[in-house]
Structures are given as structure tokens and as C-alpha cells.
Amino acid sequence: MESMLNKLKSTVTKVTADVTSAVMGNPVTREFDVGRHIASGGNGLAWKIFNGTKKSTKQEVAVFVFDKKLIDKYQKFEKDQIIDSLKRGVQQLTRLRHPRLLTVQHPLEESRDCLAFCTEPVFASLANVLGNWENLPSSISPDIKDYKLYDVETKYGLLQVSEGLSFLHSSVKMVHGNVTPENIILNKSGAWKIMGFDFCVSSSNPSEQEPKFPCKEWDPNLPSLCLPNPEYLAPEYILSVSCETASDMYSLGAVMYAVFNKGRPIFEVNKQDIYKSFSRQLDQLSRLGSSSLTSIPEEVREHVKLLLNVTPTVRPDADQMTKIPFFDDVGAVTLQYFDTLFQRDNLQKSQFFKGLPKVLPKLPKRVIVQRILPCLTSEFVNPDMVPFVLPNVLLIAEECTKEEYIKLILPELGPVFKQQEPIQILLIFLQKMDLLLTKTPPDEIKNSVLPMVYRALEAPSIQIQELCLNIIPTFANLIDYPSMKNALIPRIKNACLQTSSLAVRVNSLVCLGKILEYLDKWFVLDDILPFLQQIPSKEPAVLMGILGIYKCTFTHKKLGITKEQLAGKVLPHLIPLSIENNLNLNQFSSFIAVIKEMLSRLESEHRTKLEQLHIMQEQQRSLDIGNQMSTSEETKVTPSGTQIDKVFNNIGADLLSGGESENREDGLQGKQKRGSLTLEEKQKLAKEQEQAQKLKSQQPLKPQVHTPIAPVKQTKDLTDTLMENMSSLTSLSVSTPKISASSTFTSVPSTGLSMMFSTPIDNTKRNLTNGLNANMGFQTSGFNMPVNPNQNFFSGTSTAGVTTMTLGAPPTMSNFSPLSIPPASVKQTQQRPPDMSALNNLFGPQKPKVSMNQLSQQKPNQWLNQFVPPQGSPGMGSAAMGTQANYGSHLPSTGRVVECVKFLAWLL
């Protein structure tokens, strides 16, 4: 690595030393800075060509330097001859001005060490391009080493040389005398220029007479730099010591052969015996056939053969050569037109520039960049031509790299960005906005490109605004977000609100809809959607544009509209718009479809939210799962049994669990009042829920059906007991009346229990000492149990009322009605409690039988307490107790009630 750096350092030092020694002390260095050695040219490639710039203007130039060290080997008079020859050529070139001749920008300056002059920027000589690298630096530039001529370059280059010779022959009346690849220079743009007028010959006759060109005899003793290159010299120079314009044409033919033959001339000349060589050459030329010119394109092969003819008069002149079909190539013609562009008027230029986009794709990129682009950008100073030139420049920019664009094109476009007239300039830039935003650096975009877009949105021309709005979505992804948010969107909104053109308003809405995806969600919700409600126009196209923006925002994955926005702003705006009279059926259907979709999503989202809230509330209000399960088991109704069984079972359950249910209700209300549960309670609740789920997943328990055997046996015993009791009752001097067809068992209000046997017997005969009511009789079969629906059957507060039930019985059986006790609401006189031992025997068949005498000897309270629980016992409310004197309000125990119900069921 160190050796490479040392080698590079030595090379740079050597080159710097060469440049310094070559031009040191030369007056050229006062005005020009000399750069690196890039090429060589002139007769024998004696001139070194350097890059250079003018100090005052920084204009790029080429500095030609002849180092006098090259002729140190010659004698002084030979040196003088060489110097004189070189000076003559440069001085002649300086006096001549033509596009096909190399332009001298600073005349020849001589110093002790060198000769130097400055010209237009130069790339290399044709000899360097063809592979002759004599007098070049040791490290040849890759640009020259790898340079390959395109066909269009070759054609147009040879055409340029022909035009230059035509100028010399026709206008100047001069023979160049040394047309060779060394004296053809390719400038920075690739144009071929003629130099090397060291051996030029001017006509000795006046201009109005036929030109006559004196010729010097070939002197082989002169230094080679004092003689033309014999390989490209016409035979008459040597053999007949004569020259004319046709001699230059022979040289042109030899150059054309060398160009198509990789730089090799048609004949090799022995400079030591030049006469013999030319004599042999003359014989070969006379027999020259097409087979010797196979490397030359066929369309120009015959012309080259004519140029190399030994007879000067047969050779075409320069003017004729410029008109041959070989130079009619579209690329060559295009380049030729560019060279004469300054001579054309605006109409001719405009027509040419309109057709240029069709030609540019056929030309090599190097030719376009080097030859065409500079000509195009030079027309930017003419505002009228900019609309015709700009499309071609932007077309070239598409083929350039970003670096080439920044270096070659962007500096020229800077002033054009600021031009507002003619209006077509803005249109062209808008159409190529994607190109500009892709290749232009961010700073230039912000400072030059986007301000142009803003001016287009604010332009008075409706056409410009429409085009701008149509084009913005195509490059919106290339605009940075702050510029779009703070500068572009506000101008689009202003264009929509302030314009009087329906097309601009609609295009503004369409533009906004297309660039929504590049915007932030909250910017759209807070800035774009409220803007839609400010649009005053109600035309169908505007309304559909508004609907489109709402729909795009609503359905876009990145954006979306919140349900609060839907309910509060969007739907209240859309629904009135949907019934505008200007809308047709399809437009109305579009509105309704979007509204339904919005409503559907609104319902779905809000329902989901409420369900989640409901679940949370239910979790907070959940009760003890174990208590719920126990309560549900206690209150569960057995599916089997009759309707009366269900009623009385419910009554019994209420009697037993009335207090507990009240306590649970109080506990439930207390939990609800407490509000939210603690963490421990929630954990307990979760475990209970899991237990409840397990219980629910189990199979339900089926109740066992009672066998009919036991009730049958029990029924027989009850019947015997009943008959004995009735016989004992009839033995008390009471005559047995005729039994009525029906017997009614009547339920009593909650204040007391009434049981009666109704008969037509006289009440005076029924004053029994057993505590029974005197009104006692028999009715028709069937038990009628009317219950007040507004009162509890028993006095418990939690027991529901029981409806009236009529139970049918066989007509052959004796029907009995229970005793009747007056309701508690009826005032009764103070009397002794009745004896009800008979009914005790009736409802308790398992107890030992008691005779009427034994029954009469019992105290009333002892008999009644078998049925009535003591005061204050659980399950009996105070309201059910009634007054102390009203024994009828006391109820029998639950077990006895159940036995009574089973007995009645058997009777039915």
C-alpha cells in the first residue's frame, strides 16, 4: 500500500513538474490556469493539450503547449524552421473563423521554453481516439483509451471535415495541405474541428480568377515537423510537385479509410525513399478495387474510391461530398441542424424542436449529452422557445443518471423554474413532475420545484389548476409530509373553496381523495373531513366527490373513522346530502350504501362496547354461587304429581323457607348497595362460578315416583277412622239428614281458616260441647276451594296466593266439608274455644283412636294446640296470628297439612 502511494505521489509530482516546466514563464499563464495533460495533436502530435480555465471568467479552455525540448536534437536553423512552421500554422488558424475550424481564444504566446495558445475546450485529437497515443502522459485517461466512435459520430465528423474543406476551398481559396487525423480535433462537445495550417497554400491569383496554388518540392532533408505527413499526402505533391483543392480531397479519402480501418492508413510510406514509395503507391491506386475497401461501409465505398483516384479531376470536391447520401443519416442531419441553429428563425426552430423527440431515441447517449443538450439549453435565454425546448431537455434528463442530471441539466433548469410566462412552461413541468422529484436533490425540490407547483395551484388559468390537480396524485408519494401538510393541502382546499369553476372544485376533491393514503389519520379527521362541510356547492359531481372522500377514509385500513366521528359529524352531514334533489337514482344508491355501511359498523362497535360493559357490570353484581344453587334446589318443583300437589308443596316450602328467602333478599340488596367487590370477593366469586359451571354440566336428578301401594293402605285406614268419627257424632241425639249432592271444601283467607259441613239441620240442635260450630251440614260431591288471590293462603308474607280449584269426586262416596270458622275480620263475642278433637282424629290416622267421651273431657286448648304452633314460632307472621281470641286464625302444622292434601288427593 505504501509503495502504491509513493508511486502515485511520484507520478503526480512528475506531471506537475512537466506542466510547470512546459508553461513556466509563458504569458498564457497570466490569464489562464493550466490543468492536467489530456491529449496531443497537431503535426506529428507535437502539441500537448492541457485542461485550463480563464482566471477572470472561469471559462473552460484547452491550452496547447509545444515544449521546445522536443527539438533540442536539431540544429539551430532546423529549430528555427520548426518553430516558424508551428507559428505559421497557429497564426493562420487564429485568423480563420468558422464553426468547422478550431476556435482560438488566446493567440500564440512564446517563451524561452515553449509555445502556447488557448482554444475552445478539447477532448482529444482524432489520432488519439483512433489509437495513436504519442506524446500522451504515461497514464492514459480511460476516456481516451476506451473511446469508441459511433456511426453517427463518424458520419457527422467526416461531414464536418468536408464542410470545413469546402469553406477553405470555396471561401478562403486555400489548400490545407496536411489533412490528417492528427490535425482533426474533437472538442468537448464531440464536434470535429480542423487545425494544423502549417503547410497551407493560398491562391496566388486574385479572388475573381481561377485559384492557383503554388507547391514546394518535397525536401527530405528537412525535419519531419517541417514536412506534411506523407501517408495522407496526394501523389501529385511528390510526383508532379503540384497541388490543388483535389489534393485535400485525396487526403480526406485517406482519412476516411483510416477511420474505418482502426487508424491505419491505406499505404505505408518509406520516408527514406519517398519517391519510390509513391511510385509504387501510384500503381496500386490505379488498380484499386472494391476488395481493398471492404472495411468501409458500402454506401460510401465508391465515394472513397473516387477520392483516392490518381487523377485529381476525377475526385469529388468538398461541396459534392457534403451532399452524398451517406451523410443523409437522420442523426447526422439532426446534428448538422443544431450546428446551424443560430441561423434559423423562431418558426423554423419551433418546427425542428417539435420533431426532435422522435429522433433523440435513435441517437447515442454520449452524442445527445455532448452535442444536443448544450444546444438545447442555450435556447433557454429565448422565452418563446422554452416551451419547445423544455420537453426535449426533460426527455434527455430521463436517460441521464442522477449525477449527470445534477451536473449538466439542473443548473440550466434553475432559471426556467421561475418563469411564469408563457404558461406552457408550467404545464410541461407538471407533466414531468415525477422526474423532477426523483432526480432533484431535496433542497432544490423545496426551493425550486414545489414553489412552482404552488404557483400552479394559485394560477388564474383554470386549465393550469385542473392539470395541476390531476397530476399531483401521480407524484404525491415523492413529496415530503411537512410540505404536503403545511403547503400543498391548504392550497388545494383554497382552490376548491374559492374557485368559480365546477371542474376545479371536483378535481380538488378527487385530488384530495387520491392523496389521502399519504396523510396521517388524525390530520384527515381533524382537517380534511371538517373541510368537506364548508363546501357550498350542491352539484351532483361535488356531492359524489364528498362521498368519495368519506368512503375512502372510512374503508382505508390506515385511516378509518371513529364511531364518535361517524355519529356526531359524518352521518349528520351525509344523510341530508343523500336526499338532494339533484342526485339521480344511482347516486342516491351510492349514498345510501355508504350510510348503511357506516351505520352497520357504528352499531357493531357500540354493541360490542356495551356488551363488554354489561359483562363487567354482571361480574361486579354476581352473587354467592353456592347460595344461589341451594336456593334453586329448595324451590325446585317436582315434575310429577297433580296440580294440587304442586300448589301445596310450594305452600309448604314457603312456610319452611320464608324467613331464609327474606334474609337472602336482604343480603342481595346489601351486596348491590355495597358497589364493586374486593379482590378477595372476586376471587371467591370466580371459584363459585367454576363450581356452578360444573354443577350445570351434570345430569339433572330425576325424582322418584311414589308407588300407589302405600296411599291405598293409608286410605283404607283413614276411611275407617272417618266412619267411626262420623258415627260417634251422629250418636249425640242428632238425626242424620239427607246428604246433599255436593260437598264443598272452601279455603279461607289468610287471616284464618274456616272449615264447615253444611246441612239443613236446625242450628238449635247443633249446640255441641266439643267446640264445633252449630252450622254444620253436607253438600253435593266435589271439593270447591276458592282462595282469595290477593291474600296468602297462610299468613306468611312470602307465600303466593292459590287460585280456586274444583276437585271432582265419585258420586257414590260420602262428601264432607270442613268445619267453618268465621274470618278474623268479623267481630265475635268472647266464647270458649271449641273442641276439635274429631278433626284431629280425621287428619291424624296414625294416632290412637279417641272416643267422644274422652274428647269431651279434654280441654279445648289442648286439642287445638295439636294443629296450631305456639305464638312467635318461625314461619308464622304476626298478621296471620290475628287476635288472641280468634282461635280460627291458627293453622295446623305443615306435616298435618301434607297428610290432609294426600287424603284429599286419594278421594279424588
Side-chain angles (χ1 to χ4, degrees):
M1 184 69 181
E2 185 177 357
S3 61
M4 292 180 61
L5 291 174
N6 293 333
K7 184 177 179 181
L8 178 62
K9 181 179 179 181
S10 62
T11 302
V12 173
T13 304
K14 182 179 178 181
V15 171
T16 306
D18 292 341
V19 173
T20 304
S21 62
V23 297
M24 184 179 295
N26 195 290
V28 171
T29 59
R30 299 172 187 170
E31 299 183 23
F32 298 90
D33 292 325
V34 181
R36 66 184 183 90
H37 184 190
I38 58 172
S40 60
N43 190 24
L45 297 177
W47 293 92
K48 293 181 179 179
I49 306 174
F50 296 86
N51 283 333
T53 55
K54 193 170 183 177
K55 293 181 178 180
S56 59
T57 62
K58 302 300 179 182
Q59 181 183 1
E60 188 178 2
V61 297
V63 181
F64 283 72
V65 177
F66 176 77
D67 192 353
K68 291 182 179 181
K69 292 180 180 180
L70 295 175
I71 58 175
D72 285 344
K73 60 182 178 178
Y74 295 104
Q75 300 293 327
K76 185 177 183 305
F77 75 95
E78 291 176 335
K79 292 180 181 179
D80 294 340
Q81 287 178 328
I82 294 173
I83 296 299
D84 291 343
S85 176
L86 294 174
K87 287 182 178 180
R88 181 173 180 270
V90 176
Q91 291 169 357
Q92 189 65 49
L93 178 63
T94 304
R95 286 193 294 265
L96 297 174
R97 293 288 181 176
H98 191 269
R100 303 299 178 241
L101 305 182
L102 188 63
T103 303
V104 177
Q105 296 186 357
H106 189 82
L108 182 67
E109 296 284 357
E110 183 178 4
S111 65
R112 184 184 65 179
D113 297 324
C114 67
L115 299 175
F117 67 100
C118 296
T119 67
E120 60 183 298
V122 167
F123 170 70
S125 64
L126 181 59
N128 295 151
V129 172
L130 295 176
N132 189 349
W133 300 332
E134 186 179 348
N135 208 15
L136 283 176
S138 58
S139 57
I140 302 173
S141 172
D143 295 338
I144 295 178
K145 193 173 183 179
D146 300 333
Y147 193 90
K148 302 297 180 184
L149 289 170
Y150 293 107
D151 289 342
V152 64
E153 292 179 300
T154 301
K155 290 179 180 181
Y156 188 57
L158 294 173
L159 177 60
Q160 288 176 308
V161 173
S162 299
E163 291 175 348
L165 292 177
S166 176
F167 165 72
L168 294 176
H169 298 167
S170 303
S171 302
V172 185
K173 308 294 183 180
M174 177 186 293
V175 174
H176 186 278
N178 193 24
V179 180
T180 62
E182 293 89 346
N183 288 322
I184 297 176
I185 302 297
L186 277 64
N187 69 0
K188 202 74 172 180
S189 300
W192 292 17
K193 300 294 186 79
I194 298 174
M195 66 165 294
F197 289 86
D198 304 358
F199 310 104
C200 65
V201 180
S202 297
S203 174
S204 57
N205 290 340
S207 59
E208 65 276 0
Q209 297 180 4
E210 186 71 19
K212 182 179 180 180
F213 303 100
C215 183
K216 294 181 180 181
E217 186 178 357
W218 181 271
D219 186 356
N221 297 321
L222 292 175
S224 60
L225 292 179
C226 296
L227 294 173
N229 189 343
E231 294 175 346
Y232 296 90
L233 200 60
E236 56 268 19
Y237 268 103
I238 305 299
L239 299 178
S240 61
V241 192
S242 64
C243 67
E244 51 185 308
T245 56
S247 301
D248 286 342
M249 300 310 296
Y250 176 90
S251 300
L252 176 62
V255 170
M256 293 177 70
Y257 182 91
V259 169
F260 291 112
N261 201 32
K262 298 182 180 179
R264 295 190 297 269
I266 188 172
F267 297 114
E268 296 289 340
V269 175
N270 185 0
K271 297 180 181 180
Q272 303 298 327
D273 192 1
I274 194 166
Y275 292 102
K276 186 177 180 179
S277 297
F278 266 85
S279 297
R280 187 171 55 252
Q281 178 180 335
L282 188 61
D283 293 338
Q284 293 175 357
L285 288 175
S286 62
R287 297 192 303 271
L288 185 63
S290 300
S291 59
S292 302
L293 305 175
T294 53
S295 60
I296 299 176
E298 185 176 359
E299 58 267 27
V300 76
R301 190 176 299 165
E302 290 300 322
H303 297 93
V304 173
K305 185 178 179 180
L306 289 175
L307 291 174
L308 298 176
N309 197 285
V310 296
T311 306
T313 57
V314 178
R315 301 167 192 161
D317 58 31
D319 187 59
Q320 291 172 340
M321 281 300 297
T322 59
K323 298 176 182 178
I324 63 174
F326 179 68
F327 297 134
D328 287 341
D329 180 79
V330 61
V333 172
T334 301
L335 296 177
Q336 184 181 22
Y337 196 93
F338 271 110
D339 288 337
T340 61
L341 199 60
F342 64 94
Q343 302 175 3
R344 315 290 179 173
D345 57 23
N346 286 347
L347 180 60
Q348 292 174 325
K349 290 179 181 179
S350 62
Q351 294 297 328
F352 171 72
F353 290 138
K354 285 180 181 179
L356 186 59
K358 298 179 182 179
V359 179
L360 290 177
K362 301 178 182 179
L363 299 177
K365 178 181 176 181
R366 185 177 68 204
V367 174
I368 294 174
V369 172
Q370 291 182 351
R371 298 298 311 278
I372 296 178
L373 183 60
C375 297
L376 291 175
T377 55
S378 64
E379 290 293 325
F380 283 156
V381 297
N382 185 359
D384 294 335
M385 286 293 102
V386 173
F388 302 100
V389 174
L390 189 57
N392 296 290
V393 174
L394 297 178
L395 183 61
I396 295 173
E398 292 180 355
E399 302 299 326
C400 293
T401 63
K402 188 173 183 179
E403 292 74 16
E404 292 173 339
Y405 169 81
I406 295 173
K407 180 180 179 181
L408 302 175
I409 299 177
L410 184 59
E412 305 294 338
L413 292 179
V416 185
F417 285 141
K418 301 176 182 179
Q419 294 185 16
Q420 299 184 10
E421 294 294 336
I423 199 65
Q424 290 83 355
I425 298 175
L426 202 54
L427 294 174
I428 295 169
F429 275 131
L430 291 175
Q431 293 170 349
K432 294 292 184 179
M433 189 58 61
D434 55 342
L435 167 69
L436 298 177
L437 295 175
T438 302
K439 296 189 174 182
T440 306
D443 293 341
E444 286 296 325
I445 291 176
K446 186 175 181 180
N447 298 330
S448 300
V449 179
L450 291 182
M452 179 182 60
V453 178
Y454 305 153
R455 289 198 304 270
L457 290 174
E458 297 170 350
S461 172
I462 294 178
Q463 181 184 6
I464 295 294
Q465 288 182 329
E466 287 185 38
L467 180 62
C468 184
L469 292 170
N470 290 331
I471 291 175
I472 285 175
T474 62
F475 60 82
N477 59 321
L478 303 175
I479 302 176
D480 61 296
Y481 185 72
S483 298
M484 180 178 292
K485 177 181 177 180
N486 301 323
L488 185 62
I489 297 297
R491 286 177 169 83
I492 295 176
K493 292 164 58 178
N494 289 336
C496 181
L497 294 176
Q498 297 177 3
T499 185
S500 59
S501 171
L502 177 62
V504 172
R505 183 165 291 154
V506 173
N507 285 323
S508 299
L509 295 174
V510 173
C511 179
L512 284 176
K514 291 181 178 180
I515 65 177
L516 284 177
E517 58 181 321
Y518 307 112
L519 301 177
D520 180 71
K521 174 181 179 179
W522 300 111
F523 177 75
V524 174
L525 295 180
D526 297 339
D527 195 89
I528 302 298
L529 298 188
F531 152 75
L532 299 179
Q533 302 180 14
Q534 302 173 11
I535 300 176
S537 178
K538 300 298 181 183
E539 288 82 0
V542 176
L543 297 182
M544 296 307 294
I546 295 174
L547 178 66
I549 293 178
Y550 276 127
K551 185 175 182 181
C552 290
T553 307
F554 177 71
T555 58
H556 197 278
K557 295 180 180 179
K558 172 186 171 183
L559 301 176
I561 304 178
T562 62
K563 60 185 181 67
E564 291 79 11
Q565 289 270 358
L566 285 176
K569 296 181 180 180
V570 177
L571 289 173
H573 183 216
L574 277 181
I575 293 175
L577 295 182
S578 65
I579 59 174
E580 285 289 332
N581 296 328
N582 296 330
L583 296 177
N584 58 31
L585 180 59
N586 292 333
Q587 294 167 344
F588 172 75
S589 300
S590 300
F591 265 90
I592 294 302
V594 174
I595 292 173
K596 286 182 178 179
E597 188 177 358
M598 290 180 175
L599 286 173
S600 176
R601 182 179 296 183
L602 177 64
E603 178 187 3
S604 175
E605 292 182 359
H606 198 64
R607 184 181 297 278
T608 302
K609 176 182 177 181
L610 293 180
E611 288 175 352
Q612 294 175 351
L613 291 175
H614 179 70
I615 292 173
M616 295 174 64
Q617 292 173 357
E618 287 297 323
Q619 290 177 350
Q620 293 178 356
R621 297 173 184 172
S622 296
L623 300 175
D624 189 338
I625 300 300
N627 293 336
Q628 289 182 353
M629 294 301 299
S630 62
T631 302
S632 62
E633 289 176 358
E634 290 176 359
T635 57
K636 186 180 296 183
V637 180
T638 303
S640 62
T642 62
Q643 193 170 9
I644 291 181
D645 291 335
K646 297 178 183 179
V647 171
F648 281 90
N649 285 336
N650 288 338
I651 293 172
D654 288 337
L655 286 172
L656 294 175
S657 61
E660 295 181 3
S661 63
E662 290 177 0
N663 295 333
R664 280 193 294 269
E665 288 178 1
D666 295 339
L668 174 61
Q669 294 176 358
K671 286 187 178 181
Q672 290 178 348
K673 290 180 181 179
R674 284 201 302 268
S676 61
L677 303 177
T678 63
L679 179 60
E680 291 76 9
E681 291 174 339
K682 291 182 179 179
Q683 291 175 344
K684 180 180 178 181
L685 180 61
K687 292 180 181 179
E688 293 171 348
Q689 288 177 344
E690 292 178 1
Q691 181 180 1
Q693 291 295 331
K694 292 180 181 179
L695 292 174
K696 289 181 180 179
S697 62
Q698 293 180 358
Q699 297 259 348
L701 297 177
K702 296 182 178 180
Q704 294 181 355
V705 180
H706 294 286
T707 59
I709 298 174
V712 171
K713 293 180 180 179
Q714 185 179 8
T715 302
K716 289 182 179 180
D717 292 339
L718 291 173
T719 305
D720 294 339
T721 304
L722 180 63
M723 295 300 295
E724 290 177 359
N725 289 330
M726 292 304 300
S727 62
S728 63
L729 290 174
T730 54
S731 64
L732 298 175
S733 67
V734 179
S735 62
T736 304
K738 183 179 180 180
I739 300 174
S740 61
S742 62
S743 178
T744 303
F745 176 81
T746 306
S747 62
V748 299
S750 60
T751 56
L753 175 64
S754 293
M755 303 179 66
M756 61 183 296
F757 291 91
S758 176
T759 63
I761 300 174
D762 187 11
N763 292 335
T764 59
K765 295 180 181 182
R766 295 298 181 184
N767 292 329
L768 302 179
T769 62
N770 57 358
L772 298 177
N773 193 330
N775 293 329
M776 190 172 187
F778 295 93
Q779 294 180 351
T780 58
S781 62
F783 291 91
N784 187 18
M785 303 176 64
V787 181
N788 188 351
N790 295 327
Q791 294 178 343
N792 292 332
F793 199 92
F794 298 101
S795 61
T797 58
S798 63
T799 305
V802 182
T803 57
T804 302
M805 299 181 184
T806 302
L807 305 177
T812 58
M813 295 183 62
S814 298
N815 296 311
F816 305 96
S817 61
L819 296 176
S820 176
I821 300 175
S825 59
V826 181
K827 294 183 179 180
Q828 299 182 1
T829 59
Q830 184 67 27
Q831 64 179 357
R832 181 172 54 87
D835 191 350
M836 300 183 69
S837 61
L839 287 180
N840 188 24
N841 291 330
L842 175 65
F843 295 127
Q846 284 81 4
K847 288 189 174 184
K849 297 181 180 180
V850 182
S851 64
M852 291 297 296
N853 295 329
Q854 294 174 341
L855 180 65
S856 61
Q857 294 176 2
Q858 292 179 350
K859 295 181 180 181
N861 289 337
Q862 293 177 349
W863 181 88
L864 186 61
N865 286 338
Q866 296 179 2
F867 295 93
V868 181
Q871 295 184 13
S873 63
M876 298 295 293
S878 60
M881 296 300 297
T883 59
Q884 293 294 330
N886 188 5
Y887 290 103
S889 61
H890 298 290
L891 297 178
S893 64
T894 303
R896 297 185 183 277
V897 172
V898 173
E899 291 179 358
C900 180
V901 171
K902 289 181 179 180
F903 170 71
L904 294 176
W906 178 83
L907 292 178
L908 294 176

